[in-house]
Amino acid sequence: TTKQPAAFLLLLLTSHISHTSTMQKTPAGETVIVPRNFKLLEELEKSEKGLGDMAISFGLVDSGDTFLTHWNGGILGPGGTQHDGRFYQLKIKCTEKYPAVPPEIRFISKINMNCVDSRTGALKPEKLPAMRNWNRNMGIEQILQSIRVEMCSDQNRRLRQPSEGSTF
């Protein structure tokens, strides 16, 4: 086999992934584009190691999902709200445009919140601050945390909830 120069491989790789990546700054202030899958692998590793917020969880639906597209999520309802003691299940889809666009999120567990479509369980991006203010350096964890914060908001904390265990 012939070896390709490293610069050629890097150019090939970056031309393929440039629209599906995240940007970070080096200590010198240079912008570095991190490929989509690298970002998602980092998010997965952090979640699997339990290094984030312990009131939320997320991971791949299928460990064989090489494109890291389909995820499960969970949110433990915050105390002092109608969500107290409940565990909400969600489906998360990171499209090929992630992280340039936020993931698509839909509740499996029935929930009554102003940022969730009451018929489908889909998150309404315009109603959730983390999705409205999305930038490519954010991730799944920030979206789930934002949902949990919304559970505590004046608009949502006292809303009557569907019976526990019901699903969309």
Side-chain angles (χ1 to χ4, degrees):
T1 67
T2 60
K3 288 190 175 184
Q4 297 291 331
F8 172 76
L9 292 175
L10 184 58
L11 177 62
L12 181 63
L13 181 63
T14 55
S15 68
H16 175 68
I17 52 142
S18 63
H19 70 286
T20 59
S21 55
T22 186
M23 298 184 331
Q24 295 180 353
K25 296 273 186 188
T26 66
E30 298 170 310
T31 299
V32 176
I33 296 175
V34 178
R36 172 191 180 274
N37 282 9
F38 289 9
K39 176 174 176 43
L40 286 168
L41 283 170
E42 183 180 339
E43 290 186 56
L44 179 62
E45 182 179 15
K46 184 178 175 186
S47 176
E48 286 178 342
K49 289 184 177 180
L51 300 176
D53 185 339
M54 298 310 290
I56 62 169
S57 63
F58 57 96
L60 286 172
V61 169
D62 175 6
S63 61
D65 180 0
T66 55
F67 295 105
L68 309 171
T69 302
H70 301 283
W71 299 65
N72 288 319
I75 301 175
L76 184 60
T81 70
Q82 291 289 326
H83 309 283
D84 192 357
R86 291 182 179 224
F87 183 76
Y88 295 99
Q89 294 178 300
L90 306 96
K91 290 285 184 194
I92 303 162
K93 181 179 180 185
C94 295
T95 68
E96 66 280 350
K97 294 181 180 178
Y98 182 87
V101 300
E104 298 168 7
I105 298 183
R106 185 178 65 81
F107 275 84
I108 300 301
S109 308
K110 277 213 170 188
I111 188 167
N112 185 14
M113 287 180 67
N114 67 348
C115 60
V116 177
D117 184 296
S118 61
R119 292 173 289 113
T120 65
L123 212 54
K124 299 177 184 176
E126 70 281 0
K127 300 272 188 179
L128 189 71
M131 291 184 94
R132 256 194 339 263
N133 303 314
W134 180 260
N135 73 67
R136 61 188 322 117
N137 292 316
M138 296 170 72
I140 296 169
E141 182 177 24
Q142 286 77 26
I143 297 288
L144 298 180
Q145 287 172 329
S146 183
I147 294 169
R148 194 163 190 272
V149 166
E150 279 301 304
M151 290 177 177
C152 297
S153 74
D154 289 341
Q155 300 92 341
N156 295 304
R157 68 181 297 119
R158 292 186 180 87
L159 287 178
R160 184 173 167 86
Q161 296 302 312
S163 59
E164 198 160 356
S166 56
T167 59
F168 282 103

